[in-house]
Amino acid sequence: MSIPTFPTGLQGAATHIFAITPHATNAQPPMKAIRANTGGDVVLRCQDSTDDVTLTMAAGEVLVALVTHVRASGTTATLHGIG
């Protein structure tokens, strides 16, 4: 029996999960989604956006989006990136 292969890239399953450290200006590693470990506000920017947005996420909530930046100022949730 062969081991099945799964698509990679944006259409495929996650290949890594990592803690997000919000930063004032630096981009985050590529990710398909973010998960709130503890609830709170998240100030983020998506791949094709020109502005930051603030979302309130509950603990355990997953946001499926191509997030490029998570800002330190205003972010109170603790997060993991899913890439």
Side-chain angles (χ1 to χ4, degrees):
M1 176 163 77
S2 65
I3 297 173
T5 58
F6 298 96
T8 58
L10 295 178
Q11 301 299 321
T15 58
H16 62 287
I17 297 174
F18 54 91
I20 294 175
T21 302
H23 193 274
T25 58
N26 289 354
Q28 297 291 326
M31 63 183 106
K32 304 173 194 184
I34 59 174
R35 180 187 186 274
N37 301 317
T38 60
D41 288 340
V42 182
V43 180
L44 61 85
R45 183 175 294 186
C46 288
Q47 178 175 295
D48 293 333
S49 298
T50 56
D51 296 314
D52 294 343
V53 296
T54 301
L55 302 175
T56 301
M57 295 182 68
E61 184 175 356
V62 175
L63 171 67
V64 179
L66 298 176
V67 176
T68 58
H69 294 78
V70 177
R71 306 298 187 189
S73 179
T75 296
T76 58
T78 57
L79 308 162
H80 271 95
I82 302 169

Short mmCIF file of all heavy atoms in Angstrom, two decimals:
data_model
loop_
_atom_site.label_atom_id
_atom_site.label_comp_id
_atom_site.label_asym_id
_atom_site.label_seq_id
_atom_site.Cartn_x
_atom_site.Cartn_y
_atom_site.Cartn_z
N MET A 1 0.85 -1.17 0.00
CA MET A 1 0.00 0.00 0.00
C MET A 1 0.90 1.24 0.00
O MET A 1 1.84 1.33 0.77
CB MET A 1 -0.90 0.00 1.23
CG MET A 1 -1.72 1.24 1.34
SD MET A 1 -3.13 1.15 2.47
CE MET A 1 -2.37 1.31 4.05
N SER A 2 0.59 2.17 -0.87
CA SER A 2 1.39 3.39 -0.94
C SER A 2 0.81 4.45 0.00
O SER A 2 -0.38 4.44 0.32
CB SER A 2 1.43 3.92 -2.37
OG SER A 2 0.14 4.29 -2.77
N ILE A 3 1.66 5.35 0.39
CA ILE A 3 1.24 6.45 1.25
C ILE A 3 0.63 7.53 0.36
O ILE A 3 1.23 7.93 -0.64
CB ILE A 3 2.44 7.02 2.02
CG1 ILE A 3 3.01 5.94 2.95
CG2 ILE A 3 2.05 8.26 2.80
CD1 ILE A 3 4.30 6.32 3.64
N PRO A 4 -0.58 7.98 0.68
CA PRO A 4 -1.21 9.00 -0.17
C PRO A 4 -0.46 10.33 -0.09
O PRO A 4 0.18 10.64 0.91
CB PRO A 4 -2.62 9.14 0.42
CG PRO A 4 -2.49 8.67 1.82
CD PRO A 4 -1.41 7.64 1.83
N THR A 5 -0.52 11.07 -1.16
CA THR A 5 0.06 12.41 -1.16
C THR A 5 -1.06 13.43 -1.17
O THR A 5 -2.15 13.18 -1.68
CB THR A 5 0.97 12.62 -2.39
OG1 THR A 5 0.19 12.41 -3.57
CG2 THR A 5 2.14 11.66 -2.38
N PHE A 6 -0.81 14.55 -0.59
CA PHE A 6 -1.79 15.62 -0.50
C PHE A 6 -1.25 16.85 -1.19
O PHE A 6 -0.04 17.08 -1.22
CB PHE A 6 -2.09 15.93 0.97
CG PHE A 6 -2.68 14.76 1.71
CD1 PHE A 6 -1.87 13.93 2.46
CD2 PHE A 6 -4.03 14.49 1.63
CE1 PHE A 6 -2.42 12.85 3.14
CE2 PHE A 6 -4.58 13.41 2.29
CZ PHE A 6 -3.77 12.59 3.05
N PRO A 7 -2.14 17.68 -1.74
CA PRO A 7 -1.66 18.90 -2.38
C PRO A 7 -1.00 19.82 -1.36
O PRO A 7 -1.35 19.80 -0.18
CB PRO A 7 -2.92 19.54 -2.95
CG PRO A 7 -4.06 18.88 -2.27
CD PRO A 7 -3.58 17.57 -1.76
N THR A 8 -0.04 20.56 -1.81
CA THR A 8 0.62 21.55 -0.96
C THR A 8 0.25 22.94 -1.46
O THR A 8 -0.55 23.09 -2.36
CB THR A 8 2.14 21.35 -0.96
OG1 THR A 8 2.61 21.47 -2.31
CG2 THR A 8 2.53 20.01 -0.40
N GLY A 9 0.84 23.94 -0.90
CA GLY A 9 0.53 25.30 -1.29
C GLY A 9 -0.79 25.75 -0.68
O GLY A 9 -1.28 25.18 0.29
N LEU A 10 -1.39 26.77 -1.25
CA LEU A 10 -2.60 27.36 -0.68
C LEU A 10 -3.79 26.42 -0.68
O LEU A 10 -4.68 26.53 0.15
CB LEU A 10 -2.95 28.65 -1.43
CG LEU A 10 -1.95 29.78 -1.29
CD1 LEU A 10 -2.39 30.97 -2.13
CD2 LEU A 10 -1.77 30.17 0.16
N GLN A 11 -3.84 25.48 -1.61
CA GLN A 11 -4.97 24.57 -1.71
C GLN A 11 -4.83 23.35 -0.80
O GLN A 11 -5.79 22.62 -0.60
CB GLN A 11 -5.15 24.09 -3.16
CG GLN A 11 -5.38 25.21 -4.13
CD GLN A 11 -6.63 26.01 -3.83
OE1 GLN A 11 -7.64 25.44 -3.45
NE2 GLN A 11 -6.57 27.31 -3.98
N GLY A 12 -3.65 23.10 -0.28
CA GLY A 12 -3.40 21.89 0.47
C GLY A 12 -3.55 22.05 1.97
O GLY A 12 -3.86 23.11 2.50
N ALA A 13 -3.30 20.95 2.63
CA ALA A 13 -3.35 20.92 4.09
C ALA A 13 -2.19 21.72 4.67
O ALA A 13 -1.19 21.98 4.00
CB ALA A 13 -3.27 19.47 4.57
N ALA A 14 -2.32 22.06 5.93
CA ALA A 14 -1.26 22.79 6.62
C ALA A 14 -0.01 21.93 6.70
O ALA A 14 -0.09 20.71 6.89
CB ALA A 14 -1.71 23.19 8.01
N THR A 15 1.13 22.55 6.54
CA THR A 15 2.40 21.84 6.66
C THR A 15 3.17 22.26 7.90
O THR A 15 4.15 21.61 8.26
CB THR A 15 3.28 22.06 5.42
OG1 THR A 15 3.50 23.46 5.24
CG2 THR A 15 2.60 21.49 4.18
N HIS A 16 2.76 23.36 8.55
CA HIS A 16 3.40 23.77 9.79
C HIS A 16 2.48 24.71 10.58
O HIS A 16 1.62 25.37 10.01
CB HIS A 16 4.76 24.42 9.55
CG HIS A 16 4.70 25.68 8.72
ND1 HIS A 16 4.45 25.68 7.37
CD2 HIS A 16 4.84 26.98 9.06
CE1 HIS A 16 4.46 26.92 6.92
NE2 HIS A 16 4.69 27.73 7.93
N ILE A 17 2.69 24.71 11.88
CA ILE A 17 1.96 25.59 12.80
C ILE A 17 2.99 26.25 13.69
O ILE A 17 3.93 25.58 14.16
CB ILE A 17 0.93 24.79 13.62
CG1 ILE A 17 -0.12 24.17 12.69
CG2 ILE A 17 0.26 25.68 14.67
CD1 ILE A 17 -1.10 23.24 13.38
N PHE A 18 2.84 27.53 13.92
CA PHE A 18 3.86 28.26 14.68
C PHE A 18 3.22 29.36 15.51
O PHE A 18 2.16 29.88 15.17
CB PHE A 18 4.90 28.86 13.72
CG PHE A 18 4.29 29.70 12.63
CD1 PHE A 18 4.11 31.06 12.79
CD2 PHE A 18 3.87 29.12 11.44
CE1 PHE A 18 3.53 31.83 11.79
CE2 PHE A 18 3.29 29.88 10.44
CZ PHE A 18 3.12 31.23 10.61
N ALA A 19 3.88 29.72 16.60
CA ALA A 19 3.42 30.83 17.43
C ALA A 19 3.66 32.13 16.68
O ALA A 19 4.69 32.31 16.03
CB ALA A 19 4.17 30.84 18.75
N ILE A 20 2.69 33.02 16.74
CA ILE A 20 2.82 34.33 16.11
C ILE A 20 3.28 35.34 17.17
O ILE A 20 2.68 35.44 18.23
CB ILE A 20 1.48 34.80 15.52
CG1 ILE A 20 1.08 33.89 14.35
CG2 ILE A 20 1.54 36.26 15.09
CD1 ILE A 20 -0.28 34.19 13.77
N THR A 21 4.35 36.05 16.84
CA THR A 21 4.80 37.15 17.68
C THR A 21 4.45 38.44 16.94
O THR A 21 5.08 38.76 15.93
CB THR A 21 6.33 37.07 17.92
OG1 THR A 21 6.63 35.82 18.52
CG2 THR A 21 6.78 38.21 18.81
N PRO A 22 3.42 39.14 17.40
CA PRO A 22 3.05 40.39 16.73
C PRO A 22 4.23 41.37 16.68
O PRO A 22 5.08 41.37 17.58
CB PRO A 22 1.92 40.94 17.60
CG PRO A 22 1.35 39.73 18.27
CD PRO A 22 2.55 38.85 18.53
N HIS A 23 4.28 42.16 15.63
CA HIS A 23 5.37 43.12 15.45
C HIS A 23 4.81 44.40 14.85
O HIS A 23 3.83 44.37 14.10
CB HIS A 23 6.45 42.53 14.53
CG HIS A 23 7.71 43.30 14.54
ND1 HIS A 23 7.92 44.39 13.72
CD2 HIS A 23 8.83 43.16 15.28
CE1 HIS A 23 9.13 44.89 13.96
NE2 HIS A 23 9.70 44.16 14.90
N ALA A 24 5.45 45.50 15.13
CA ALA A 24 4.98 46.80 14.63
C ALA A 24 5.03 46.89 13.11
O ALA A 24 4.13 47.45 12.49
CB ALA A 24 5.80 47.93 15.24
N THR A 25 6.08 46.33 12.48
CA THR A 25 6.24 46.50 11.03
C THR A 25 6.56 45.22 10.28
O THR A 25 6.24 45.12 9.09
CB THR A 25 7.34 47.52 10.73
OG1 THR A 25 8.56 47.07 11.33
CG2 THR A 25 7.00 48.90 11.25
N ASN A 26 7.21 44.25 10.89
CA ASN A 26 7.67 43.06 10.18
C ASN A 26 6.53 42.18 9.71
O ASN A 26 5.55 41.99 10.42
CB ASN A 26 8.60 42.23 11.05
CG ASN A 26 9.95 42.88 11.27
OD1 ASN A 26 10.25 43.91 10.69
ND2 ASN A 26 10.75 42.29 12.13
N ALA A 27 6.71 41.60 8.52
CA ALA A 27 5.74 40.62 8.00
C ALA A 27 5.90 39.30 8.75
O ALA A 27 6.97 39.00 9.29
CB ALA A 27 5.96 40.41 6.52
N GLN A 28 4.84 38.53 8.77
CA GLN A 28 4.84 37.20 9.39
C GLN A 28 5.24 36.17 8.34
O GLN A 28 5.15 36.41 7.14
CB GLN A 28 3.44 36.86 9.92
CG GLN A 28 2.95 37.77 11.01
CD GLN A 28 3.73 37.59 12.30
OE1 GLN A 28 4.15 36.51 12.65
NE2 GLN A 28 3.90 38.68 13.02
N PRO A 29 5.66 34.97 8.78
CA PRO A 29 5.89 33.89 7.81
C PRO A 29 4.58 33.60 7.07
O PRO A 29 3.49 33.87 7.59
CB PRO A 29 6.29 32.70 8.68
CG PRO A 29 6.73 33.29 9.98
CD PRO A 29 5.95 34.56 10.15
N PRO A 30 4.65 33.05 5.86
CA PRO A 30 3.42 32.75 5.11
C PRO A 30 2.47 31.86 5.91
O PRO A 30 2.91 30.89 6.53
CB PRO A 30 3.93 32.03 3.86
CG PRO A 30 5.36 32.44 3.74
CD PRO A 30 5.85 32.65 5.13
N MET A 31 1.19 32.21 5.90
CA MET A 31 0.19 31.41 6.61
C MET A 31 -1.14 31.47 5.89
O MET A 31 -1.45 32.44 5.21
CB MET A 31 0.06 31.87 8.06
CG MET A 31 -0.43 33.29 8.25
SD MET A 31 -0.46 33.76 9.98
CE MET A 31 0.95 34.85 10.04
N LYS A 32 -1.91 30.40 6.05
CA LYS A 32 -3.23 30.28 5.44
C LYS A 32 -4.33 30.66 6.41
O LYS A 32 -5.45 30.94 6.00
CB LYS A 32 -3.48 28.83 5.02
CG LYS A 32 -2.46 28.26 4.10
CD LYS A 32 -2.73 26.78 3.91
CE LYS A 32 -1.54 26.12 3.27
NZ LYS A 32 -1.79 24.72 2.99
N ALA A 33 -4.01 30.62 7.70
CA ALA A 33 -5.02 30.88 8.72
C ALA A 33 -4.32 31.23 10.03
O ALA A 33 -3.12 30.96 10.19
CB ALA A 33 -5.90 29.64 8.92
N ILE A 34 -5.08 31.84 10.94
CA ILE A 34 -4.58 32.05 12.29
C ILE A 34 -5.61 31.50 13.27
O ILE A 34 -6.81 31.49 13.00
CB ILE A 34 -4.27 33.53 12.59
CG1 ILE A 34 -5.50 34.41 12.43
CG2 ILE A 34 -3.14 34.04 11.73
CD1 ILE A 34 -5.27 35.85 12.86
N ARG A 35 -5.10 31.01 14.40
CA ARG A 35 -5.96 30.47 15.47
C ARG A 35 -5.69 31.27 16.73
O ARG A 35 -4.55 31.48 17.10
CB ARG A 35 -5.66 29.00 15.73
CG ARG A 35 -6.52 28.43 16.84
CD ARG A 35 -6.10 27.02 17.21
NE ARG A 35 -7.02 26.44 18.16
CZ ARG A 35 -6.93 26.60 19.49
NH1 ARG A 35 -5.98 27.35 20.01
NH2 ARG A 35 -7.80 26.01 20.28
N ALA A 36 -6.77 31.71 17.36
CA ALA A 36 -6.65 32.42 18.63
C ALA A 36 -6.57 31.41 19.76
O ALA A 36 -7.49 30.62 19.97
CB ALA A 36 -7.85 33.35 18.83
N ASN A 37 -5.47 31.40 20.47
CA ASN A 37 -5.32 30.53 21.64
C ASN A 37 -6.07 31.12 22.83
O ASN A 37 -6.69 30.40 23.59
CB ASN A 37 -3.86 30.33 21.98
CG ASN A 37 -3.13 29.71 20.82
OD1 ASN A 37 -3.63 28.79 20.19
ND2 ASN A 37 -1.96 30.22 20.51
N THR A 38 -5.94 32.43 22.99
CA THR A 38 -6.75 33.16 23.96
C THR A 38 -7.47 34.25 23.19
O THR A 38 -6.93 34.80 22.23
CB THR A 38 -5.90 33.79 25.08
OG1 THR A 38 -4.97 34.71 24.51
CG2 THR A 38 -5.15 32.73 25.87
N GLY A 39 -8.67 34.53 23.58
CA GLY A 39 -9.47 35.52 22.87
C GLY A 39 -8.95 36.94 23.07
O GLY A 39 -8.21 37.22 24.01
N GLY A 40 -9.33 37.80 22.16
CA GLY A 40 -8.95 39.21 22.25
C GLY A 40 -8.96 39.84 20.88
O GLY A 40 -9.42 39.26 19.90
N ASP A 41 -8.42 41.04 20.83
CA ASP A 41 -8.34 41.76 19.56
C ASP A 41 -7.10 41.34 18.78
O ASP A 41 -6.06 41.02 19.37
CB ASP A 41 -8.29 43.27 19.80
CG ASP A 41 -9.62 43.84 20.27
OD1 ASP A 41 -10.65 43.18 20.04
OD2 ASP A 41 -9.61 44.93 20.86
N VAL A 42 -7.23 41.37 17.46
CA VAL A 42 -6.12 41.08 16.56
C VAL A 42 -6.09 42.19 15.51
O VAL A 42 -7.08 42.41 14.82
CB VAL A 42 -6.28 39.71 15.86
CG1 VAL A 42 -5.08 39.43 14.97
CG2 VAL A 42 -6.48 38.60 16.87
N VAL A 43 -4.97 42.89 15.43
CA VAL A 43 -4.79 43.91 14.41
C VAL A 43 -3.94 43.26 13.32
O VAL A 43 -2.79 42.85 13.57
CB VAL A 43 -4.10 45.17 14.98
CG1 VAL A 43 -3.93 46.22 13.88
CG2 VAL A 43 -4.91 45.73 16.15
N LEU A 44 -4.52 43.12 12.12
CA LEU A 44 -3.84 42.38 11.07
C LEU A 44 -4.02 43.02 9.72
O LEU A 44 -4.86 43.90 9.53
CB LEU A 44 -4.34 40.93 11.04
CG LEU A 44 -5.85 40.71 10.77
CD1 LEU A 44 -6.15 40.68 9.29
CD2 LEU A 44 -6.29 39.42 11.42
N ARG A 45 -3.22 42.55 8.78
CA ARG A 45 -3.36 42.95 7.38
C ARG A 45 -3.28 41.69 6.53
O ARG A 45 -2.45 40.82 6.76
CB ARG A 45 -2.25 43.91 6.96
CG ARG A 45 -2.43 44.40 5.52
CD ARG A 45 -1.43 45.44 5.13
NE ARG A 45 -1.67 46.64 5.93
CZ ARG A 45 -1.01 47.78 5.74
NH1 ARG A 45 -0.08 47.86 4.81
NH2 ARG A 45 -1.28 48.82 6.49
N CYS A 46 -4.17 41.60 5.55
CA CYS A 46 -4.18 40.46 4.63
C CYS A 46 -3.35 40.76 3.39
O CYS A 46 -3.02 41.92 3.11
CB CYS A 46 -5.60 40.11 4.24
SG CYS A 46 -6.52 39.35 5.58
N GLN A 47 -3.07 39.73 2.64
CA GLN A 47 -2.15 39.79 1.50
C GLN A 47 -2.46 40.91 0.52
O GLN A 47 -1.56 41.64 0.10
CB GLN A 47 -2.15 38.45 0.79
CG GLN A 47 -1.27 38.41 -0.43
CD GLN A 47 -1.21 37.03 -1.03
OE1 GLN A 47 -0.71 36.12 -0.40
NE2 GLN A 47 -1.73 36.87 -2.24
N ASP A 48 -3.70 41.08 0.10
CA ASP A 48 -4.02 42.07 -0.93
C ASP A 48 -4.63 43.35 -0.36
O ASP A 48 -5.18 44.16 -1.12
CB ASP A 48 -4.96 41.47 -1.97
CG ASP A 48 -4.28 40.37 -2.79
OD1 ASP A 48 -3.04 40.41 -2.93
OD2 ASP A 48 -4.98 39.47 -3.27
N SER A 49 -4.52 43.53 0.94
CA SER A 49 -5.10 44.72 1.58
C SER A 49 -4.05 45.83 1.70
O SER A 49 -2.85 45.56 1.77
CB SER A 49 -5.61 44.38 2.98
OG SER A 49 -6.64 43.44 2.90
N THR A 50 -4.54 47.05 1.76
CA THR A 50 -3.64 48.18 1.96
C THR A 50 -3.77 48.77 3.36
O THR A 50 -2.99 49.63 3.74
CB THR A 50 -3.92 49.29 0.93
OG1 THR A 50 -5.29 49.66 1.02
CG2 THR A 50 -3.62 48.81 -0.49
N ASP A 51 -4.76 48.29 4.12
CA ASP A 51 -4.99 48.81 5.46
C ASP A 51 -5.06 47.67 6.47
O ASP A 51 -5.44 46.54 6.14
CB ASP A 51 -6.32 49.58 5.51
CG ASP A 51 -6.31 50.81 4.63
OD1 ASP A 51 -5.32 51.57 4.67
OD2 ASP A 51 -7.29 51.00 3.89
N ASP A 52 -4.73 48.00 7.71
CA ASP A 52 -4.90 47.06 8.82
C ASP A 52 -6.36 47.07 9.24
O ASP A 52 -7.07 48.06 9.07
CB ASP A 52 -4.05 47.48 10.02
CG ASP A 52 -2.56 47.39 9.74
OD1 ASP A 52 -2.15 46.73 8.78
OD2 ASP A 52 -1.80 48.01 10.52
N VAL A 53 -6.80 45.93 9.80
CA VAL A 53 -8.14 45.83 10.38
C VAL A 53 -8.00 45.24 11.78
O VAL A 53 -7.05 44.52 12.07
CB VAL A 53 -9.11 44.97 9.54
CG1 VAL A 53 -9.36 45.59 8.19
CG2 VAL A 53 -8.60 43.56 9.39
N THR A 54 -8.97 45.54 12.63
CA THR A 54 -9.01 44.97 13.97
C THR A 54 -10.19 44.02 14.05
O THR A 54 -11.32 44.42 13.76
CB THR A 54 -9.14 46.06 15.05
OG1 THR A 54 -8.02 46.95 14.93
CG2 THR A 54 -9.16 45.46 16.44
N LEU A 55 -9.92 42.78 14.41
CA LEU A 55 -10.96 41.78 14.60
C LEU A 55 -10.91 41.32 16.05
O LEU A 55 -9.84 41.22 16.64
CB LEU A 55 -10.72 40.58 13.69
CG LEU A 55 -10.64 40.84 12.19
CD1 LEU A 55 -10.29 39.56 11.45
CD2 LEU A 55 -11.95 41.40 11.68
N THR A 56 -12.07 41.01 16.61
CA THR A 56 -12.13 40.40 17.92
C THR A 56 -12.37 38.92 17.72
O THR A 56 -13.34 38.52 17.09
CB THR A 56 -13.25 41.03 18.77
OG1 THR A 56 -12.99 42.44 18.88
CG2 THR A 56 -13.30 40.41 20.15
N MET A 57 -11.44 38.11 18.25
CA MET A 57 -11.52 36.66 18.08
C MET A 57 -11.73 36.00 19.43
O MET A 57 -11.14 36.41 20.43
CB MET A 57 -10.25 36.12 17.42
CG MET A 57 -10.05 36.63 16.00
SD MET A 57 -8.57 35.96 15.20
CE MET A 57 -9.04 34.24 15.01
N ALA A 58 -12.55 34.97 19.44
CA ALA A 58 -12.77 34.17 20.65
C ALA A 58 -11.69 33.10 20.74
O ALA A 58 -11.12 32.69 19.73
CB ALA A 58 -14.15 33.51 20.59
N ALA A 59 -11.42 32.63 21.94
CA ALA A 59 -10.46 31.54 22.13
C ALA A 59 -10.90 30.34 21.31
O ALA A 59 -12.06 29.96 21.31
CB ALA A 59 -10.37 31.18 23.60
N GLY A 60 -9.97 29.78 20.55
CA GLY A 60 -10.25 28.62 19.71
C GLY A 60 -10.74 28.96 18.32
O GLY A 60 -10.82 28.08 17.46
N GLU A 61 -11.06 30.21 18.06
CA GLU A 61 -11.55 30.61 16.74
C GLU A 61 -10.43 30.58 15.72
O GLU A 61 -9.28 30.91 16.01
CB GLU A 61 -12.13 32.02 16.82
CG GLU A 61 -12.76 32.51 15.55
CD GLU A 61 -13.44 33.87 15.71
OE1 GLU A 61 -13.50 34.40 16.82
OE2 GLU A 61 -13.92 34.38 14.68
N VAL A 62 -10.77 30.17 14.49
CA VAL A 62 -9.82 30.12 13.39
C VAL A 62 -10.29 31.07 12.31
O VAL A 62 -11.44 31.03 11.88
CB VAL A 62 -9.68 28.69 12.82
CG1 VAL A 62 -8.77 28.68 11.60
CG2 VAL A 62 -9.17 27.74 13.89
N LEU A 63 -9.39 31.93 11.86
CA LEU A 63 -9.65 32.84 10.76
C LEU A 63 -8.88 32.33 9.55
O LEU A 63 -7.65 32.26 9.57
CB LEU A 63 -9.19 34.26 11.10
CG LEU A 63 -9.22 35.27 9.95
CD1 LEU A 63 -10.65 35.57 9.52
CD2 LEU A 63 -8.50 36.55 10.34
N VAL A 64 -9.61 31.93 8.50
CA VAL A 64 -8.97 31.46 7.28
C VAL A 64 -8.78 32.67 6.38
O VAL A 64 -9.73 33.21 5.83
CB VAL A 64 -9.83 30.37 6.60
CG1 VAL A 64 -9.17 29.91 5.31
CG2 VAL A 64 -10.06 29.21 7.54
N ALA A 65 -7.53 33.10 6.27
CA ALA A 65 -7.19 34.27 5.47
C ALA A 65 -5.69 34.28 5.25
O ALA A 65 -4.93 33.73 6.06
CB ALA A 65 -7.61 35.55 6.20
N LEU A 66 -5.25 34.89 4.16
CA LEU A 66 -3.82 35.02 3.89
C LEU A 66 -3.30 36.25 4.62
O LEU A 66 -3.20 37.34 4.07
CB LEU A 66 -3.58 35.13 2.38
CG LEU A 66 -4.01 33.91 1.56
CD1 LEU A 66 -3.79 34.17 0.08
CD2 LEU A 66 -3.27 32.67 2.01
N VAL A 67 -2.98 36.06 5.88
CA VAL A 67 -2.54 37.14 6.76
C VAL A 67 -1.05 37.35 6.57
O VAL A 67 -0.27 36.39 6.61
CB VAL A 67 -2.86 36.81 8.23
CG1 VAL A 67 -2.32 37.88 9.16
CG2 VAL A 67 -4.37 36.65 8.41
N THR A 68 -0.64 38.60 6.34
CA THR A 68 0.78 38.91 6.16
C THR A 68 1.38 39.62 7.36
O THR A 68 2.58 39.51 7.60
CB THR A 68 1.01 39.78 4.92
OG1 THR A 68 0.25 40.98 5.04
CG2 THR A 68 0.59 39.04 3.65
N HIS A 69 0.57 40.38 8.09
CA HIS A 69 1.07 41.14 9.24
C HIS A 69 0.12 41.01 10.42
O HIS A 69 -1.10 41.06 10.23
CB HIS A 69 1.19 42.63 8.90
CG HIS A 69 2.21 42.92 7.85
ND1 HIS A 69 1.98 42.71 6.50
CD2 HIS A 69 3.47 43.40 7.95
CE1 HIS A 69 3.05 43.05 5.82
NE2 HIS A 69 3.97 43.47 6.67
N VAL A 70 0.67 40.83 11.60
CA VAL A 70 -0.07 40.91 12.85
C VAL A 70 0.65 41.97 13.68
O VAL A 70 1.82 41.81 14.01
CB VAL A 70 -0.13 39.56 13.59
CG1 VAL A 70 -0.86 39.72 14.91
CG2 VAL A 70 -0.82 38.50 12.73
N ARG A 71 -0.04 43.05 13.95
CA ARG A 71 0.58 44.20 14.61
C ARG A 71 0.64 44.03 16.13
O ARG A 71 -0.28 43.49 16.75
CB ARG A 71 -0.21 45.47 14.29
CG ARG A 71 -0.41 45.72 12.81
CD ARG A 71 0.88 45.91 12.06
NE ARG A 71 0.58 46.31 10.69
CZ ARG A 71 1.47 46.39 9.74
NH1 ARG A 71 2.72 46.09 9.99
NH2 ARG A 71 1.11 46.77 8.53
N ALA A 72 1.72 44.52 16.71
CA ALA A 72 1.89 44.45 18.16
C ALA A 72 0.92 45.40 18.85
O ALA A 72 0.30 45.05 19.87
CB ALA A 72 3.33 44.77 18.54
N SER A 73 0.80 46.61 18.31
CA SER A 73 -0.08 47.61 18.93
C SER A 73 -1.54 47.24 18.68
O SER A 73 -1.97 47.13 17.53
CB SER A 73 0.23 48.98 18.33
OG SER A 73 -0.62 49.96 18.90
N GLY A 74 -2.25 46.98 19.75
CA GLY A 74 -3.67 46.69 19.65
C GLY A 74 -4.02 45.21 19.67
O GLY A 74 -5.16 44.84 19.84
N THR A 75 -3.03 44.33 19.46
CA THR A 75 -3.30 42.89 19.49
C THR A 75 -3.20 42.40 20.93
O THR A 75 -2.16 42.55 21.57
CB THR A 75 -2.32 42.12 18.58
OG1 THR A 75 -2.55 42.53 17.23
CG2 THR A 75 -2.51 40.62 18.68
N THR A 76 -4.30 41.81 21.42
CA THR A 76 -4.32 41.30 22.78
C THR A 76 -4.48 39.78 22.83
O THR A 76 -4.23 39.17 23.86
CB THR A 76 -5.46 41.95 23.59
OG1 THR A 76 -6.71 41.69 22.93
CG2 THR A 76 -5.26 43.45 23.71
N ALA A 77 -4.90 39.17 21.74
CA ALA A 77 -5.04 37.70 21.67
C ALA A 77 -3.68 37.06 21.51
O ALA A 77 -2.76 37.67 20.94
CB ALA A 77 -5.95 37.32 20.51
N THR A 78 -3.52 35.83 21.98
CA THR A 78 -2.32 35.06 21.64
C THR A 78 -2.71 34.14 20.48
O THR A 78 -3.81 33.58 20.45
CB THR A 78 -1.80 34.24 22.84
OG1 THR A 78 -2.81 33.37 23.30
CG2 THR A 78 -1.36 35.16 23.95
N LEU A 79 -1.79 33.98 19.54
CA LEU A 79 -2.14 33.39 18.25
C LEU A 79 -1.13 32.36 17.78
O LEU A 79 0.06 32.42 18.13
CB LEU A 79 -2.21 34.49 17.19
CG LEU A 79 -3.09 35.70 17.50
CD1 LEU A 79 -2.74 36.86 16.61
CD2 LEU A 79 -4.55 35.31 17.34
N HIS A 80 -1.61 31.44 16.94
CA HIS A 80 -0.77 30.53 16.18
C HIS A 80 -1.07 30.73 14.71
O HIS A 80 -2.23 30.93 14.33
CB HIS A 80 -1.03 29.06 16.55
CG HIS A 80 -0.19 28.58 17.68
ND1 HIS A 80 -0.63 28.58 18.97
CD2 HIS A 80 1.08 28.11 17.70
CE1 HIS A 80 0.33 28.10 19.76
NE2 HIS A 80 1.38 27.82 19.01
N GLY A 81 -0.05 30.68 13.88
CA GLY A 81 -0.21 30.71 12.43
C GLY A 81 -0.28 29.30 11.90
O GLY A 81 0.40 28.40 12.42
N ILE A 82 -1.08 29.10 10.89
CA ILE A 82 -1.22 27.80 10.25
C ILE A 82 -0.78 27.98 8.79
O ILE A 82 -1.41 28.74 8.05
CB ILE A 82 -2.67 27.30 10.33
CG1 ILE A 82 -3.10 27.22 11.80
CG2 ILE A 82 -2.83 25.96 9.61
CD1 ILE A 82 -4.58 26.99 12.01
N GLY A 83 0.31 27.33 8.43
CA GLY A 83 0.86 27.53 7.10
C GLY A 83 0.89 26.29 6.27
O GLY A 83 0.53 25.23 6.65
#
